[in-house]
Amino acid sequence: MGITWFIYLTVLTLDVIVWCSPGKIERSFLDRHDLNASSDSNLKRCQNTYKNLTLEQKARYIDASGKPGSGIYGGNTLWYGSYSECQKIPNSRYCWTRFLGYVALPKIGKEVQLIEWGVCTPNDCIKEDGGIFFDFFFQNVSGISIVTPIKIYFQVRCAEDPGYTASAVVTIIFCGLLVVLCLLATIAEISSGSNGASKSERVENDKHISMENGSDEKTPLLPNITTNKVNKNDGTIYEIMNSFSIIRNVNTILNTNVRKHDLTYLHGIRVLSLFWIVLLHVNVQAFARENRKDFAHFERKFAAMVLSTAYGVDTFFVLSGLLVVYTNMSKKVKNNGQTNWFKYYLHRFCRLTPTLMFWILFVTKLKQHFGAGPKWFQAIDSAAACSDNWWTNLLYLNNFFHELPDEVCLGQTWQLAADMQFFILSPFFFIIAYRFGFRRLLGVVCVVILASIIVTASLIAHYGYFSSQSAASINDQVKFNTYLKNIYVKPYCRIPPYVMGIVLGYVLFKHFSKQFKLPMKLVVMMWLSATALALTVVYAPYSYLKEDPRIWTKGENILFGSLKWSIWGLSIIWLIFACHYNYAGLVKNILAAKFWIPLSHINYAAYIVHIDVITTLVFNIETPLHFTSFTLVTYFLASVVLTYLIAFIVTVVVELPCANLEAIAWKKWEKK
């Protein structure tokens, strides 16, 4: 028992030790706001350095720096130059700048544009604070004659070689040890001739979304787990070693067996929900788009419908609330109403945390080495934030901290924090269900939903509501950040879908095999109503986003912003109810198809890693893209494939071994 817990806790806490080691991550780009090209000694040194360059050297700097290209009428003010060419010039550095300027266009006149310009500079021209002498370079290097800078918004990020710090080296060694341990365990299993069969008879436990086997309450995101029944002469050491076996863990992921009480249609719902979330995040990433006006037109047409309003997270909340009751009510009945609350909470923490903390460690220390480019700093900002704020993720409080987006560590994990907070409160609901039945549970849930709607409406009235996740201006971005911080990520605003899932979970538990004989007219009406509600919350913002928008009144903002999550939750509730009681026809057949199951098993890891996969793809681009719908589809498909591939590796090497070790530890504990 002792050695099992020691190994398990070592995997969980080694990353914390690494964070505390010397050599914390430094930002590869320095963010500065400097409006004055001062005439101090540094500027004079820069001027002398540039003056002493040969014509060929000056030409190389000018060639590597950005210049106006075609498509300015279409919004192409992204003039990055050549990052790679600048890196080849000795003693040079690439700096990305963003500033407001008057752009002189024939027949249009001067138009204020936000311009992004890449400049290749000698190292002597980098100031001590990390900025550059903007005026000097704009006049001598840019060759831009159609722009007059306006010095009211100015930003510079200069590239730096990140280097390998001591903590990065320790992280690489740690990852290598995990891989070696998995390989050794696999070799040991092959050498023993067991392959999960002779020495250990593989049994299914926590493997399906089922009431019979006690699925984990986080099943919508967590993979299902298998454990081995080991002979007494195998010993604890063999059990621990076998937990890391690649063969065993891959078989767990690929297993598609289903049993009588499995809610197999949930696999398709969870995977498709994550697909939608990935599509959203691919769209909202700051692509370098040379045809920004065309993209704005594209977003006005489609973003409100399928790109900027993905409700996949709310679907996860419904599934999580459903399963926390569905799986634990049966245990409570079997144990005559008794629950080991220590195990209830610790089991949850141990299942979720190792994978999350491993990925934070990996991203914080190593992501900066996975790319480079004019805007690579945007990909690693979250990694820099994790270096300081990882503890908020460890405690699942990250949705209550941080004022600015660049202070957030793995922004998508706010959902995990909110879900953990819901889980902490969940016993209150299923104890009411166990003792008082459906009516009392429904009454309490209705009160919670009403209270959440009132609180959300009050916050929207105070802070305002932002109907689109695409911020077109600086003021929009500030408003959107305020909305995210004070409303979007807060559990008291997002709890309605979760408690709706709790009610449905109790219904499925009490009436799993019951045949509800609903009139066909009622079924058709329910499908039409659920579809109409879902389409309403998806399409409603379009009137606000189109080219000739109708500005919403404050009342409309409050009404829609406070009700949309509850409305979506009701639509998903009907979808699950219809699938379970055979009123979904082809929809259920698609969602319950077995090919979803392996993807569902790695969905939790996929959710954690997908943002970093997307940003690595997007910000390795050195030149602006001409955006089309084909571009979006290409990056979406690439992101989905790479996300699930990396999630598969993380699940095999980190999540399943830790889950197996936890199962061994509890078995030893219960024997004692």
Side-chain angles (χ1 to χ4, degrees):
M1 176 65 181
I3 188 172
T4 304
W5 275 110
F6 175 77
I7 294 177
Y8 178 78
L9 292 176
T10 299
V11 174
L12 176 60
T13 59
L14 182 58
D15 45 9
V16 178
I17 298 174
V18 172
W19 276 314
C20 297
S21 66
K24 287 176 67 176
I25 183 173
E26 299 293 337
R27 292 179 183 244
S28 295
F29 290 76
L30 300 175
D31 188 16
R32 296 288 182 255
H33 299 269
D34 189 350
L35 306 183
N36 300 314
S38 58
S39 57
D40 57 12
S41 59
N42 289 335
L43 176 57
K44 292 179 180 178
R45 185 177 69 249
C46 174
Q47 291 172 331
N48 290 332
T49 298
Y50 194 76
K51 183 179 179 180
N52 293 329
L53 295 175
T54 66
L55 289 176
E56 180 185 355
Q57 290 173 325
K58 289 182 180 179
R60 293 192 66 183
Y61 279 111
I62 294 174
D63 180 58
S65 298
K67 291 167 286 295
S70 58
I72 297 177
Y73 283 93
N76 181 17
T77 56
L78 309 179
W79 307 327
Y80 293 157
S82 176
Y83 178 90
S84 299
E85 189 65 28
C86 185
Q87 297 298 99
K88 297 175 184 177
I89 301 175
N91 301 317
S92 67
R93 189 179 303 179
Y94 182 93
C95 292
W96 170 89
T97 70
R98 178 163 60 183
F99 61 94
L100 287 173
Y102 290 111
V103 181
L105 298 174
K107 295 186 179 181
I108 295 181
K110 288 187 176 181
E111 191 177 68
V112 177
Q113 296 275 5
L114 185 61
I115 299 164
E116 297 182 15
W117 175 48
V119 56
C120 189
T121 77
N123 279 330
D124 288 342
C125 294
I126 303 298
K127 299 194 296 185
E128 293 180 357
D129 63 0
I132 61 172
F133 300 102
F134 177 82
D135 285 346
F136 174 77
F137 279 106
F138 194 80
Q139 295 171 9
N140 293 275
V141 176
S142 72
I144 302 174
S145 59
I146 64 172
V147 174
T148 303
I150 306 172
K151 295 181 180 178
I152 59 174
Y153 182 75
F154 184 80
Q155 189 177 16
V156 177
R157 311 282 293 254
C158 291
E160 296 281 355
D161 182 5
Y164 283 91
T165 62
S167 56
V169 173
V170 173
T171 302
I172 293 172
I173 294 173
F174 175 57
C175 294
L177 289 175
L178 284 177
V179 174
V180 169
L181 187 58
C182 291
L183 292 175
L184 291 176
T186 305
I187 293 172
E189 184 172 357
I190 295 174
S191 299
S192 67
S194 65
N195 287 328
S198 61
K199 272 197 172 184
S200 60
E201 177 187 356
R202 192 170 300 279
V203 296
E204 297 180 356
N205 179 32
D206 260 1
K207 195 170 188 178
H208 302 283
I209 309 172
S210 171
M211 179 171 57
E212 289 184 341
N213 51 25
S215 301
D216 188 84
E217 66 285 338
K218 189 61 180 174
T219 306
L221 291 181
L222 277 177
N224 302 313
I225 310 301
T226 60
T227 58
N228 286 351
K229 184 187 291 184
V230 183
N231 295 332
K232 292 182 179 180
N233 57 0
D234 288 333
T236 302
I237 299 298
Y238 177 82
E239 289 185 86
I240 294 172
M241 194 68 176
N242 186 251
S243 297
F244 291 86
S245 170
I246 296 175
I247 293 176
R248 173 189 180 182
N249 294 331
V250 169
N251 286 339
T252 299
I253 293 173
L254 299 181
N255 187 290
T256 60
N257 293 333
V258 295
R259 301 194 303 186
K260 179 181 177 181
H261 285 78
D262 294 345
L263 309 180
T264 52
Y265 47 84
L266 295 189
H267 292 295
I269 294 175
R270 75 172 70 159
V271 174
L272 290 175
S273 297
L274 186 55
F275 283 3
W276 193 5
I277 292 171
V278 172
L279 177 62
L280 164 69
H281 288 151
V282 168
N283 178 66
V284 300
Q285 286 302 323
F287 271 101
R289 304 175 179 98
E290 65 175 14
N291 55 331
R292 287 192 283 188
K293 292 183 180 179
D294 291 340
F295 174 71
H297 177 70
F298 173 83
E299 277 206 316
R300 282 193 292 266
K301 289 177 61 178
F302 298 105
M305 294 178 272
V306 295
L307 301 179
S308 295
T309 52
Y311 292 95
V313 168
D314 301 287
T315 304
F316 286 150
F317 286 148
V318 171
L319 299 179
S320 190
L322 182 157
L323 287 159
V324 76
V325 171
Y326 181 73
T327 61
N328 284 286
M329 283 297 293
S330 60
K331 297 177 184 178
K332 203 166 185 64
V333 170
K334 291 178 182 177
N335 296 326
N336 297 319
Q338 301 299 315
T339 301
N340 185 338
W341 296 115
F342 174 75
K343 181 178 180 180
Y344 179 80
Y345 288 114
L346 185 61
H347 168 72
R348 167 76 164 204
F349 182 84
C350 291
R351 282 292 179 89
L352 293 180
T353 309
T355 305
L356 173 62
M357 299 310 291
F358 170 81
W359 189 251
I360 291 177
L361 171 69
F362 185 84
V363 167
T364 304
K365 302 304 177 183
L366 299 181
K367 184 179 179 180
Q368 56 187 328
H369 301 284
F370 291 163
K375 299 181 72 173
W376 178 242
F377 62 87
Q378 292 194 5
I380 62 174
D381 275 351
S382 64
C386 285
S387 187
D388 296 323
N389 301 320
W390 57 269
W391 61 273
T392 62
N393 297 71
L394 176 66
L395 299 177
Y396 297 95
L397 296 173
N398 45 298
N399 57 336
F400 279 99
F401 284 82
H402 319 314
E403 294 295 320
L404 299 173
D406 60 3
E407 297 175 348
V408 177
C409 173
L410 298 190
Q412 74 276 18
T413 58
W414 74 266
Q415 188 272 339
L416 301 182
D419 199 276
M420 178 64 81
Q421 291 150 17
F422 298 154
F423 179 80
I424 292 173
L425 299 175
S426 61
F428 170 73
F429 294 99
F430 66 73
I431 288 175
I432 290 177
Y434 178 78
R435 292 186 177 181
F436 303 106
F438 176 77
R439 291 185 179 181
R440 295 286 180 87
L441 174 64
L442 182 61
V444 170
V445 165
C446 288
V447 170
V448 171
I449 293 174
L450 181 61
S452 175
I453 292 173
I454 293 173
V455 169
T456 305
S458 302
L459 292 172
I460 292 174
H462 178 70
Y463 292 107
Y465 172 71
F466 198 81
S467 61
S468 171
Q469 295 198 17
S470 56
S473 68
I474 299 170
N475 290 333
D476 282 348
Q477 188 64 58
V478 172
K479 187 176 180 180
F480 180 52
N481 292 339
T482 301
Y483 169 71
L484 284 180
K485 181 185 65 158
N486 296 301
I487 300 173
Y488 188 82
V489 303
K490 290 300 186 280
Y492 40 77
C493 297
R494 306 303 297 266
I495 197 172
Y498 188 88
V499 294
M500 290 178 185
I502 286 178
V503 173
L504 181 59
Y506 182 77
V507 171
L508 296 184
F509 165 74
K510 293 292 290 185
H511 308 289
F512 182 87
S513 301
K514 183 177 179 180
Q515 294 296 323
F516 286 96
K517 295 182 179 180
L518 303 180
M520 185 54 62
K521 290 183 178 179
L522 177 61
V523 172
V524 172
M525 185 180 68
M526 291 299 296
W527 270 111
L528 291 176
S529 300
T531 304
L533 289 173
L535 292 177
T536 297
V537 296
V538 170
Y539 281 81
Y542 178 68
S543 63
Y544 182 84
L545 299 173
K546 60 184 181 179
E547 294 189 39
D548 53 338
R550 184 185 68 80
I551 304 302
W552 286 8
T553 65
K554 187 174 183 179
E556 289 173 325
N557 279 322
I558 294 173
L559 184 66
F560 180 76
S562 60
L563 293 179
K564 61 177 183 177
W565 296 314
S566 300
I567 292 173
W568 182 263
L570 287 174
S571 301
I572 298 301
I573 291 295
W574 167 253
L575 173 64
I576 296 173
F577 182 90
C579 286
H580 187 79
Y581 294 106
N582 297 315
Y583 292 109
L586 181 62
V587 174
K588 178 180 179 179
N589 294 336
I590 294 174
L591 295 176
K594 288 190 176 183
F595 60 77
W596 298 116
I597 297 177
L599 295 177
S600 175
H601 290 170
I602 59 177
N603 226 47
Y604 174 60
Y607 181 80
I608 290 177
V609 309
H610 80 277
I611 286 288
D612 294 292
V613 172
I614 294 170
T615 55
T616 300
L617 285 174
V618 169
F619 295 115
N620 265 296
I621 299 173
E622 292 194 13
T623 57
L625 295 173
H626 185 86
F627 179 85
T628 64
S629 56
F630 180 77
T631 307
L632 178 65
V633 172
T634 300
Y635 275 88
F636 165 68
L637 293 177
S639 299
V640 167
V641 172
L642 288 176
T643 291
Y644 278 94
L645 176 62
I646 295 172
F648 180 85
I649 297 172
V650 171
T651 303
V652 170
V653 176
V654 179
E655 181 161 5
L656 288 181
C658 289
N660 294 332
L661 289 175
E662 188 219 3
I664 294 171
W666 283 119
K667 184 174 67 174
K668 300 294 182 182
W669 179 276
E670 289 170 355
K671 282 185 177 180
K672 288 187 177 182

PDB file of all heavy atoms in Angstrom, residues 312-329:
ATOM      1  N   GLY A 312     -20.763  23.323 -26.504  1.00  0.00           N
ATOM      2  CA  GLY A 312     -20.264  22.004 -26.124  1.00  0.00           C
ATOM      3  C   GLY A 312     -19.957  21.893 -24.653  1.00  0.00           C
ATOM      4  O   GLY A 312     -20.150  20.834 -24.037  1.00  0.00           O
ATOM      5  N   VAL A 313     -19.476  22.980 -24.041  1.00  0.00           N
ATOM      6  CA  VAL A 313     -19.171  22.951 -22.614  1.00  0.00           C
ATOM      7  C   VAL A 313     -20.438  22.720 -21.806  1.00  0.00           C
ATOM      8  O   VAL A 313     -20.440  21.964 -20.822  1.00  0.00           O
ATOM      9  CB  VAL A 313     -18.478  24.260 -22.193  1.00  0.00           C
ATOM     10  CG1 VAL A 313     -18.416  24.381 -20.684  1.00  0.00           C
ATOM     11  CG2 VAL A 313     -17.067  24.331 -22.776  1.00  0.00           C
ATOM     12  N   ASP A 314     -21.527  23.340 -22.204  1.00  0.00           N
ATOM     13  CA  ASP A 314     -22.792  23.136 -21.493  1.00  0.00           C
ATOM     14  C   ASP A 314     -23.293  21.703 -21.657  1.00  0.00           C
ATOM     15  O   ASP A 314     -23.914  21.147 -20.749  1.00  0.00           O
ATOM     16  CB  ASP A 314     -23.832  24.122 -22.015  1.00  0.00           C
ATOM     17  CG  ASP A 314     -23.387  25.560 -21.829  1.00  0.00           C
ATOM     18  OD1 ASP A 314     -23.394  26.040 -20.700  1.00  0.00           O
ATOM     19  OD2 ASP A 314     -22.995  26.185 -22.832  1.00  0.00           O
ATOM     20  N   THR A 315     -23.010  21.108 -22.812  1.00  0.00           N
ATOM     21  CA  THR A 315     -23.338  19.691 -22.993  1.00  0.00           C
ATOM     22  C   THR A 315     -22.537  18.835 -22.021  1.00  0.00           C
ATOM     23  O   THR A 315     -23.071  17.886 -21.418  1.00  0.00           O
ATOM     24  CB  THR A 315     -23.043  19.261 -24.438  1.00  0.00           C
ATOM     25  OG1 THR A 315     -23.756  20.104 -25.339  1.00  0.00           O
ATOM     26  CG2 THR A 315     -23.457  17.821 -24.669  1.00  0.00           C
ATOM     27  N   PHE A 316     -21.251  19.164 -21.835  1.00  0.00           N
ATOM     28  CA  PHE A 316     -20.440  18.445 -20.856  1.00  0.00           C
ATOM     29  C   PHE A 316     -21.026  18.572 -19.455  1.00  0.00           C
ATOM     30  O   PHE A 316     -21.033  17.611 -18.675  1.00  0.00           O
ATOM     31  CB  PHE A 316     -19.003  18.978 -20.856  1.00  0.00           C
ATOM     32  CG  PHE A 316     -18.185  18.554 -22.045  1.00  0.00           C
ATOM     33  CD1 PHE A 316     -17.174  19.362 -22.517  1.00  0.00           C
ATOM     34  CD2 PHE A 316     -18.417  17.354 -22.678  1.00  0.00           C
ATOM     35  CE1 PHE A 316     -16.405  18.982 -23.608  1.00  0.00           C
ATOM     36  CE2 PHE A 316     -17.665  16.960 -23.766  1.00  0.00           C
ATOM     37  CZ  PHE A 316     -16.655  17.773 -24.235  1.00  0.00           C
ATOM     38  N   PHE A 317     -21.511  19.762 -19.128  1.00  0.00           N
ATOM     39  CA  PHE A 317     -22.103  19.949 -17.804  1.00  0.00           C
ATOM     40  C   PHE A 317     -23.339  19.073 -17.629  1.00  0.00           C
ATOM     41  O   PHE A 317     -23.549  18.485 -16.561  1.00  0.00           O
ATOM     42  CB  PHE A 317     -22.472  21.421 -17.596  1.00  0.00           C
ATOM     43  CG  PHE A 317     -21.292  22.328 -17.367  1.00  0.00           C
ATOM     44  CD1 PHE A 317     -21.310  23.647 -17.807  1.00  0.00           C
ATOM     45  CD2 PHE A 317     -20.171  21.879 -16.703  1.00  0.00           C
ATOM     46  CE1 PHE A 317     -20.240  24.488 -17.596  1.00  0.00           C
ATOM     47  CE2 PHE A 317     -19.088  22.706 -16.484  1.00  0.00           C
ATOM     48  CZ  PHE A 317     -19.119  24.018 -16.935  1.00  0.00           C
ATOM     49  N   VAL A 318     -24.168  18.978 -18.660  1.00  0.00           N
ATOM     50  CA  VAL A 318     -25.348  18.118 -18.583  1.00  0.00           C
ATOM     51  C   VAL A 318     -24.937  16.669 -18.339  1.00  0.00           C
ATOM     52  O   VAL A 318     -25.472  15.987 -17.453  1.00  0.00           O
ATOM     53  CB  VAL A 318     -26.190  18.230 -19.870  1.00  0.00           C
ATOM     54  CG1 VAL A 318     -27.301  17.166 -19.868  1.00  0.00           C
ATOM     55  CG2 VAL A 318     -26.808  19.610 -19.995  1.00  0.00           C
ATOM     56  N   LEU A 319     -23.966  16.196 -19.125  1.00  0.00           N
ATOM     57  CA  LEU A 319     -23.527  14.805 -18.991  1.00  0.00           C
ATOM     58  C   LEU A 319     -22.910  14.547 -17.626  1.00  0.00           C
ATOM     59  O   LEU A 319     -23.128  13.495 -17.018  1.00  0.00           O
ATOM     60  CB  LEU A 319     -22.519  14.475 -20.091  1.00  0.00           C
ATOM     61  CG  LEU A 319     -23.023  14.592 -21.534  1.00  0.00           C
ATOM     62  CD1 LEU A 319     -21.910  14.249 -22.512  1.00  0.00           C
ATOM     63  CD2 LEU A 319     -24.217  13.695 -21.766  1.00  0.00           C
ATOM     64  N   SER A 320     -22.129  15.488 -17.148  1.00  0.00           N
ATOM     65  CA  SER A 320     -21.475  15.297 -15.858  1.00  0.00           C
ATOM     66  C   SER A 320     -22.492  15.251 -14.728  1.00  0.00           C
ATOM     67  O   SER A 320     -22.405  14.413 -13.822  1.00  0.00           O
ATOM     68  CB  SER A 320     -20.466  16.426 -15.625  1.00  0.00           C
ATOM     69  OG  SER A 320     -19.650  16.158 -14.516  1.00  0.00           O
ATOM     70  N   GLY A 321     -23.472  16.152 -14.741  1.00  0.00           N
ATOM     71  CA  GLY A 321     -24.510  16.116 -13.719  1.00  0.00           C
ATOM     72  C   GLY A 321     -25.334  14.848 -13.787  1.00  0.00           C
ATOM     73  O   GLY A 321     -25.700  14.265 -12.758  1.00  0.00           O
ATOM     74  N   LEU A 322     -25.633  14.397 -15.003  1.00  0.00           N
ATOM     75  CA  LEU A 322     -26.391  13.153 -15.182  1.00  0.00           C
ATOM     76  C   LEU A 322     -25.661  11.977 -14.538  1.00  0.00           C
ATOM     77  O   LEU A 322     -26.244  11.193 -13.783  1.00  0.00           O
ATOM     78  CB  LEU A 322     -26.607  12.912 -16.668  1.00  0.00           C
ATOM     79  CG  LEU A 322     -27.422  11.700 -17.122  1.00  0.00           C
ATOM     80  CD1 LEU A 322     -27.991  11.959 -18.513  1.00  0.00           C
ATOM     81  CD2 LEU A 322     -26.598  10.413 -17.169  1.00  0.00           C
ATOM     82  N   LEU A 323     -24.365  11.869 -14.824  1.00  0.00           N
ATOM     83  CA  LEU A 323     -23.618  10.689 -14.389  1.00  0.00           C
ATOM     84  C   LEU A 323     -23.268  10.701 -12.910  1.00  0.00           C
ATOM     85  O   LEU A 323     -23.111   9.644 -12.302  1.00  0.00           O
ATOM     86  CB  LEU A 323     -22.349  10.544 -15.229  1.00  0.00           C
ATOM     87  CG  LEU A 323     -22.644  10.071 -16.657  1.00  0.00           C
ATOM     88  CD1 LEU A 323     -21.518  10.422 -17.600  1.00  0.00           C
ATOM     89  CD2 LEU A 323     -22.902   8.580 -16.663  1.00  0.00           C
ATOM     90  N   VAL A 324     -23.161  11.898 -12.321  1.00  0.00           N
ATOM     91  CA  VAL A 324     -22.837  11.934 -10.898  1.00  0.00           C
ATOM     92  C   VAL A 324     -23.972  11.320 -10.086  1.00  0.00           C
ATOM     93  O   VAL A 324     -23.751  10.703  -9.038  1.00  0.00           O
ATOM     94  CB  VAL A 324     -22.530  13.373 -10.447  1.00  0.00           C
ATOM     95  CG1 VAL A 324     -23.779  14.202 -10.292  1.00  0.00           C
ATOM     96  CG2 VAL A 324     -21.746  13.373  -9.138  1.00  0.00           C
ATOM     97  N   VAL A 325     -25.209  11.466 -10.555  1.00  0.00           N
ATOM     98  CA  VAL A 325     -26.347  10.839  -9.878  1.00  0.00           C
ATOM     99  C   VAL A 325     -26.548   9.416 -10.366  1.00  0.00           C
ATOM    100  O   VAL A 325     -26.746   8.486  -9.574  1.00  0.00           O
ATOM    101  CB  VAL A 325     -27.628  11.673 -10.105  1.00  0.00           C
ATOM    102  CG1 VAL A 325     -28.849  10.929  -9.608  1.00  0.00           C
ATOM    103  CG2 VAL A 325     -27.506  13.015  -9.399  1.00  0.00           C
ATOM    104  N   TYR A 326     -26.494   9.217 -11.657  1.00  0.00           N
ATOM    105  CA  TYR A 326     -26.749   7.903 -12.248  1.00  0.00           C
ATOM    106  C   TYR A 326     -25.812   6.829 -11.693  1.00  0.00           C
ATOM    107  O   TYR A 326     -26.230   5.700 -11.440  1.00  0.00           O
ATOM    108  CB  TYR A 326     -26.582   8.015 -13.762  1.00  0.00           C
ATOM    109  CG  TYR A 326     -26.838   6.733 -14.520  1.00  0.00           C
ATOM    110  CD1 TYR A 326     -28.124   6.236 -14.672  1.00  0.00           C
ATOM    111  CD2 TYR A 326     -25.784   6.036 -15.106  1.00  0.00           C
ATOM    112  CE1 TYR A 326     -28.355   5.070 -15.385  1.00  0.00           C
ATOM    113  CE2 TYR A 326     -26.012   4.876 -15.819  1.00  0.00           C
ATOM    114  CZ  TYR A 326     -27.292   4.395 -15.955  1.00  0.00           C
ATOM    115  OH  TYR A 326     -27.513   3.243 -16.663  1.00  0.00           O
ATOM    116  N   THR A 327     -24.550   7.192 -11.486  1.00  0.00           N
ATOM    117  CA  THR A 327     -23.584   6.191 -11.026  1.00  0.00           C
ATOM    118  C   THR A 327     -23.522   6.069  -9.515  1.00  0.00           C
ATOM    119  O   THR A 327     -23.213   4.996  -8.989  1.00  0.00           O
ATOM    120  CB  THR A 327     -22.168   6.527 -11.545  1.00  0.00           C
ATOM    121  OG1 THR A 327     -21.765   7.805 -11.036  1.00  0.00           O
ATOM    122  CG2 THR A 327     -22.140   6.573 -13.051  1.00  0.00           C
ATOM    123  N   ASN A 328     -23.810   7.162  -8.801  1.00  0.00           N
ATOM    124  CA  ASN A 328     -23.654   7.113  -7.352  1.00  0.00           C
ATOM    125  C   ASN A 328     -24.928   6.706  -6.622  1.00  0.00           C
ATOM    126  O   ASN A 328     -24.847   6.224  -5.497  1.00  0.00           O
ATOM    127  CB  ASN A 328     -23.173   8.474  -6.842  1.00  0.00           C
ATOM    128  CG  ASN A 328     -21.705   8.716  -7.127  1.00  0.00           C
ATOM    129  OD1 ASN A 328     -20.827   8.144  -6.484  1.00  0.00           O
ATOM    130  ND2 ASN A 328     -21.422   9.555  -8.107  1.00  0.00           N
ATOM    131  N   MET A 329     -26.087   6.894  -7.235  1.00  0.00           N
ATOM    132  CA  MET A 329     -27.317   6.465  -6.584  1.00  0.00           C
ATOM    133  C   MET A 329     -27.343   4.958  -6.398  1.00  0.00           C
ATOM    134  O   MET A 329     -27.786   4.457  -5.355  1.00  0.00           O
ATOM    135  CB  MET A 329     -28.529   6.920  -7.401  1.00  0.00           C
ATOM    136  CG  MET A 329     -28.877   8.393  -7.252  1.00  0.00           C
ATOM    137  SD  MET A 329     -29.364   8.860  -5.581  1.00  0.00           S
ATOM    138  CE  MET A 329     -30.906   7.969  -5.427  1.00  0.00           C
TER     139      MET A 329
END
